[in-house]
Amino acid sequence: MERVIKISEVFLRFQFLPFFVTSFLLTLLFPLFFGIENVALTESASVYERIFPIIGLILFIPLFLPDCDQNTLELIQTKKTSYFKILVIRLVQIFITLLFITIFCLIIFQLEHSEIKFSLFLFSGIADVCFLAGLMCLIFSLTMQPVTSLIVPLAYYIICLFSDDKYLKILYFFTLVNEDFRSKLLLLTVGLMLITISCFLANKRK
């Protein structure tokens, strides 16, 4: 347990903290950039699922980022704790933070007297972020190129912005306005699968 705490502390202080602060500040400033005061449910859903997933995606960038540096990777290889276990520890921190940031964002909506369905919005936000993160992590684990890995989820996001469910069917991103739980469940499942696969690939790459 002491080793786990030490790994978590190092990751938080030296790799994760800047991304956490960025995500937190963007969430805090959410009302200043987008009009969410006294809006109806459909408007809340539309704004929330178009902005928050990008904010949440920031939290997953440092999952593999420290290992792009060869010196850091070689140092990790000398540790008793396996690289895969280190990735799991990082993921636990990221998911706990994602849950916190998501709840914080929804509380802001409530403070602005916007109409939301808390449980549905919470599930949707986490599902959307996990799907985008899954795409990013998969490419990251294969290329170890942060910029390249970000292009894929952002490209998918942009395609969804300028199309509809006619082309992407159940994988269409913006379905919260229709309270479509089934599509969000699929996005969450696929996202978690991609994140898991990316960890195995990164471990094998090492």
Side-chain angles (χ1 to χ4, degrees):
M1 180 59 68
E2 183 179 347
R3 191 176 298 161
V4 172
I5 294 174
K6 182 63 176 178
I7 293 171
S8 301
E9 182 183 350
V10 170
F11 178 62
L12 176 62
R13 289 179 58 193
F14 298 106
Q15 285 99 33
F16 188 53
L17 188 59
F19 297 92
F20 166 70
V21 171
T22 300
S23 183
F24 177 80
L25 289 177
L26 288 174
T27 304
L28 184 64
L29 295 173
F30 201 104
L32 296 180
F33 295 104
F34 305 94
I36 61 171
E37 186 177 1
N38 298 315
V39 298
L41 182 66
T42 54
E43 295 176 82
S44 295
S46 180
V47 173
Y48 174 68
E49 68 178 347
R50 279 167 172 75
I51 306 302
F52 180 74
I54 301 300
I55 296 175
L57 180 62
I58 295 171
L59 297 174
F60 284 84
I61 295 175
L63 176 60
F64 301 122
L65 192 61
D67 316 321
C68 292
D69 180 76
Q70 188 61 34
N71 293 330
T72 304
L73 187 58
E74 289 175 357
L75 180 62
I76 290 173
Q77 291 173 335
T78 65
K79 301 297 182 181
K80 292 182 179 180
T81 307
S82 69
Y83 179 58
F84 187 80
K85 186 175 181 179
I86 290 173
L87 291 177
V88 171
I89 293 171
R90 291 175 184 174
L91 274 175
V92 170
Q93 289 179 266
I94 291 171
F95 277 113
I96 291 174
T97 306
L98 173 62
L99 179 61
F100 166 75
I101 291 291
T102 309
I103 292 174
F104 179 60
C105 182
L106 294 179
I107 289 174
I108 290 177
F109 270 84
Q110 291 182 326
L111 291 175
E112 293 290 322
H113 306 290
S114 299
E115 184 181 356
I116 63 170
K117 293 187 176 181
F118 197 95
S119 297
L120 178 62
F121 275 51
L122 177 64
F123 179 79
S124 173
I126 293 175
D128 289 346
V129 172
C130 284
F131 184 74
L132 292 182
L135 294 175
M136 181 188 71
C137 290
L138 181 63
I139 303 303
F140 209 145
S141 66
L142 293 171
T143 65
M144 286 298 166
Q145 298 293 327
V147 175
T148 303
S149 67
L150 279 169
I151 289 174
V152 174
L154 292 179
Y156 167 82
Y157 174 86
I158 292 171
I159 290 171
C160 287
L161 276 179
F162 294 98
S163 64
D164 53 37
D165 58 0
K166 176 182 178 181
Y167 302 101
L168 295 172
K169 304 298 181 183
I170 198 170
L171 285 176
Y172 182 64
F173 203 67
F174 304 118
T175 59
L176 179 58
V177 68
N178 299 320
E179 300 183 34
D180 187 347
F181 177 82
R182 188 167 65 103
S183 68
K184 297 301 183 183
L185 179 60
L186 178 63
L187 291 179
L188 177 63
T189 303
V190 173
L192 291 176
M193 287 177 58
L194 291 177
I195 292 171
T196 302
I197 291 171
S198 70
C199 288
F200 279 106
L201 289 174
N203 187 58
K204 185 177 180 181
R205 185 183 180 90
K206 179 185 75 74

